[in-house]
Amino acid sequence: MGKATGFIEYAREEAQERDPLARLQDWKEFSVRLSDESLKVQGARCMDCGTPFCQMGTEIRGLTSGCPVHNLIPEWNDLVYRGRWKEALDRLLKTNNFPEFTGRVCPAPCEGSCTVSIADPAVGIKNIERAIIDKGFEEGWMTPRIPKSRTGKKIAIVGSGPAGLAAADQLNQAGHSVTVFERADRIGGLLMYGIPSMKLEKEVIERRVKLLAEEGIQFVTNTEIGKDITAEQLKADFDSVILCTGAQKQRDLVMEGREFEGIHFAMDYLTLATKSLLDSNFADGQFIDAEGKDVIVIGGGDTGADCVATALRQNCRSVVQFGKHPELPEDRAYDNPWPEYPLTFTVEYAYEEAEAKFGSDPRIYCIQTKKIVGDEQGRVKELHTIQMEKTKDENGKVVFKEIPGTEKVWPAQLVFIAIGFEGTEQKVVDQFAVEKNGNKVKAAYGKYTTSVDGVFAAGDARRGQSLIVWAIHEGREAAREVDRYLMGASNLP
Ligand SMILES: Cc1cc2nc3c(=O)[nH]c(=O)nc-3n(C[C@H](O)[C@H](O)[C@H](O)COP(=O)(O)OP(=O)(O)OC[C@H]3O[C@@H](n4cnc5c(N)ncnc54)[C@H](O)[C@@H]3O)c2cc1C
Ligand code: SF4
């Protein structure tokens, strides 16, 4: 343990962020790393409590508590406090294949279960994680680890999101020959096309993919399994297959007026924006442009927030985000105790930016869209809404009731639907003829075997839309099971 009294002596310091109005002028990352000196102090705040809830990684009442990859958090907090960065990196890489992703965009369920957070703000774990790996790259410590021998076994991974990449990394290090197939033109799944550049710059992904390729992993882009290569062909060519196809089947809005022009899925908006930025710095015009428009995002989650931030950078005239639920409380509610994930009010980067530009938080709570109205050209013109009250019926079931007299008409020339995802896309799953669990691939947690021999599934395709850190965890575990399947035993963690 670094400093026994650190948690008493030092306050939490947040990662620095670029000025909201300044960062709206570009697509660069908004958060800035703390100095080594500040990070040392933050590391000293870890009380090494003995039972590190921060690294337990489980679900309590459907919410993640602790770190799903079981990062050895108190150990590297201590090493950072002592300035032993290289050893901190070694410890971090034992559990997390890609800390440069999680250290930037993980919602940090570790911090919600940090013991210090019972009485004080949590240790800034995520910032420390990011700093360790960024330093690792800067110092030249991240060099290719080329396996000394090969087993001769061939594995195909379908999908190059964090689950597929983590599985590929583990299996390659175990000496297998791994090929990752991706239907998009770039590797990374939602890391690349989904999460916007201002949260996660794409050079960070490309740097990692380059390293993985140098280590021997084959990447095949622009190739859809189930269309360009059949499931049968893939099974014939490889000893094992892992389906890491994500859960990008989008939930649609069923409503009068849904067909008007100008209404898009959030993912189409975000994907096209990133692709056009990377391909041509927007010169190709191949994106949905919010410039000068009134934008409404339907859906109160993080995907919606990313749409808000993107629309702001495109100079929209106004932007609001509709959410179904009420505003969260400042402090934990009595039924949301530590070490559960804290359901408390936070101001994400997108809301800070909207506030800076338009003077108000864009979130509208407890609101329901009743109908969408278009103009004579068939373009969306306005949304008609009503406020709702979240209450309980006589059986204690949560219900939403309309509040009479709260009807409102909102002008809108662009509407983004961000109301969630329904599971993985069915075409490829059907071709592999694996059993399904709703729209997800059926494979038991911890085993990852599907109903088809030699075919495994991991990440969002198996568990539904989740978090990067869970995808990495599942990719790692599925790799261990594939290794066991092929070799009879496995040394993979
Ligand atoms: C807009 C948005 C923002 C998010 N922000 C965060 C965040 O800040 N923090 C966080 O922790 N989580 C975030 N998430 C969730 C997180 O991105 C996912 O949980 C995670 O990426 C899932 O990883 P995965 O590897 O299972 O699947 P994905 O990342 O979805 O990757 C699946 C890949 O499979 C490919 N594929 C599918 N079918 C085929 C096929 N037939 N052939 C070839 N390739 C195929 C797809 O093209 C895709 O590239 C966000 C999600 C969205 C939508
Ligand atoms: S991966 Fe996420 S949960 Fe785990 S230590 Fe990093 S920020 Fe915390």
Side-chain angles (χ1 to χ4, degrees):
M1 173 182 187
K3 186 159 194 199
T5 52
F7 69 100
I8 300 168
E9 284 174 48
Y10 306 124
R12 176 179 164 113
E13 189 180 355
E14 297 298 340
Q16 288 160 14
E17 291 182 357
R18 295 164 57 216
D19 173 69
L21 286 178
R23 70 195 193 219
L24 282 180
Q25 306 309 313
D26 61 49
W27 300 81
K28 299 265 174 229
E29 278 179 3
F30 65 86
S31 73
V32 183
R33 203 164 99 200
L34 290 171
S35 69
D36 283 8
E37 203 40 49
S38 293
L39 287 158
K40 184 178 163 129
V41 168
Q42 294 305 301
R45 290 191 72 237
C46 178
M47 60 196 281
D48 195 10
C49 53
T51 306
F53 286 87
C54 60
Q55 66 185 54
M56 72 180 163
T58 188
E59 283 190 327
I60 307 176
R61 296 198 300 144
L63 296 168
T64 303
S65 183
C67 175
V69 289
H70 310 300
N71 272 341
L72 305 166
I73 296 164
E75 294 185 32
W76 39 258
N77 279 339
D78 176 51
L79 289 163
V80 166
Y81 168 68
R82 292 171 196 282
R84 288 156 59 181
W85 288 90
K86 175 80 171 60
E87 287 164 78
L89 179 67
D90 292 343
R91 301 306 286 160
L92 178 55
L93 293 175
K94 281 196 182 305
T95 52
N96 193 350
N97 302 65
F98 313 122
E100 68 272 34
F101 306 154
T102 50
R104 284 172 167 76
V105 295
C106 184
C110 52
E111 295 184 10
S113 61
C114 166
T115 304
V116 172
S117 78
I118 297 174
D120 271 317
V123 174
I125 299 168
K126 177 173 157 180
N127 291 334
I128 296 175
E129 179 179 39
R130 174 189 169 170
I132 296 171
I133 183 68
D134 282 1
K135 207 179 229 322
F137 276 105
E138 284 158 16
E139 296 289 333
W141 297 331
M142 296 297 294
T143 51
R145 301 153 306 148
I146 296 163
K148 289 197 178 60
S149 61
R150 290 286 174 187
T151 61
K153 302 284 185 194
K154 288 168 66 188
I155 297 148
I157 294 179
V158 187
S160 69
L165 292 181
D169 189 17
Q170 294 295 100
L171 287 164
N172 182 57
Q173 289 303 317
H176 304 303
S177 300
V178 182
T179 308
V180 178
F181 293 94
E182 171 56 58
R183 74 175 161 200
D185 61 342
R186 289 183 172 88
I187 294 294
L190 287 173
L191 297 166
M192 177 60 73
Y193 290 134
I195 299 174
S197 296
M198 47 278 190
K199 266 165 82 181
L200 176 60
E201 273 174 22
K202 304 312 163 192
E203 290 81 3
V204 174
I205 304 163
E206 283 158 1
R207 178 178 66 183
R208 174 60 72 168
V209 172
K210 183 169 171 284
L211 193 63
L212 294 173
E214 285 166 5
E215 290 172 345
I217 298 172
Q218 303 281 321
F219 290 102
V220 182
T221 51
N222 293 310
T223 303
E224 183 172 339
I225 303 303
K227 186 175 143 223
D228 302 314
I229 300 176
T230 63
E232 274 318 303
Q233 189 63 51
L234 208 66
K235 280 194 290 176
D237 290 349
F238 290 86
D239 297 298
S240 183
V241 176
I242 314 182
L243 299 174
C244 297
T245 48
Q248 298 189 27
K249 190 170 183 288
Q250 299 175 80
R251 185 166 298 134
D252 205 351
L253 203 61
V254 184
M255 182 172 296
E256 186 189 332
R258 165 66 182 89
E259 70 286 356
F260 288 123
E261 206 183 298
I263 304 174
H264 305 272
F265 282 121
M267 276 304 297
D268 295 341
Y269 178 52
L270 295 172
T271 302
L272 289 173
T274 300
K275 183 161 164 46
S276 183
L277 170 69
L278 297 178
D279 284 355
S280 66
N281 200 19
F282 300 114
D284 61 11
Q286 299 298 308
F287 60 95
I288 300 161
D289 197 354
E291 180 160 12
K293 296 187 176 146
D294 299 303
V295 176
I296 296 182
V297 180
I298 301 180
D302 290 346
T303 303
D306 290 336
C307 292
V308 169
T310 303
L312 287 168
R313 278 166 180 72
Q314 292 178 336
N315 268 321
C316 60
R317 182 163 52 203
S318 70
V319 60
V320 286
Q321 185 183 4
F322 290 174
K324 183 179 174 189
H325 294 279
E327 190 174 318
L328 289 169
E330 289 287 338
D331 298 313
R332 285 177 183 274
Y334 74 95
D335 59 351
N336 174 222
W338 178 92
E340 285 185 11
Y341 188 84
L343 296 173
T344 53
F345 181 80
T346 50
V347 181
E348 302 302 331
Y349 78 110
Y351 308 140
E352 222 172 54
E353 291 167 357
E355 179 106 40
K357 183 153 179 176
F358 294 124
S360 62
D361 193 309
R363 288 172 283 187
I364 313 289
Y365 301 95
C366 285
I367 190 165
Q368 187 176 336
T369 309
K370 298 285 283 180
K371 111 176 142 173
I372 305 171
V373 175
D375 61 16
E376 285 93 50
Q377 284 78 42
R379 289 184 302 239
V380 60
K381 191 174 107 189
E382 58 198 29
L383 261 57
H384 292 224
T385 64
I386 190 159
Q387 290 299 134
M388 309 289 284
E389 187 195 0
K390 188 176 180 182
T391 177
K392 286 192 176 160
D393 66 11
E394 56 280 5
N395 303 316
K397 193 170 158 250
V398 172
V399 286
F400 288 85
K401 280 193 187 151
E402 293 185 0
I403 305 174
T406 59
E407 295 81 2
K408 189 169 170 176
V409 177
W410 305 74
Q413 299 84 50
L414 261 186
V415 174
F416 299 122
I417 303 169
I419 54 173
F421 297 85
E422 290 184 335
T424 200
E425 282 159 51
Q426 302 296 293
K427 201 164 86 185
V428 61
V429 173
D430 288 341
Q431 213 178 86
F432 274 96
V434 291
E435 263 183 50
K436 290 190 273 188
N437 170 15
N439 283 325
K440 296 175 275 183
V441 181
K442 190 171 176 188
Y445 177 66
K447 289 277 161 229
Y448 307 96
T449 43
T450 69
S451 56
V452 175
D453 184 46
V455 178
F456 294 73
D460 282 5
R462 194 202 70 81
R463 68 185 295 130
Q465 187 71 227
S466 181
L467 299 176
I468 290 159
V469 64
W470 276 117
I472 296 173
H473 167 75
E474 293 213 355
R476 290 172 67 84
E477 289 211 327
R480 181 195 61 215
E481 294 310 310
V482 169
D483 191 32
R484 211 195 302 272
Y485 169 81
L486 294 174
M487 310 303 285
S490 178
N491 288 326
L492 289 175

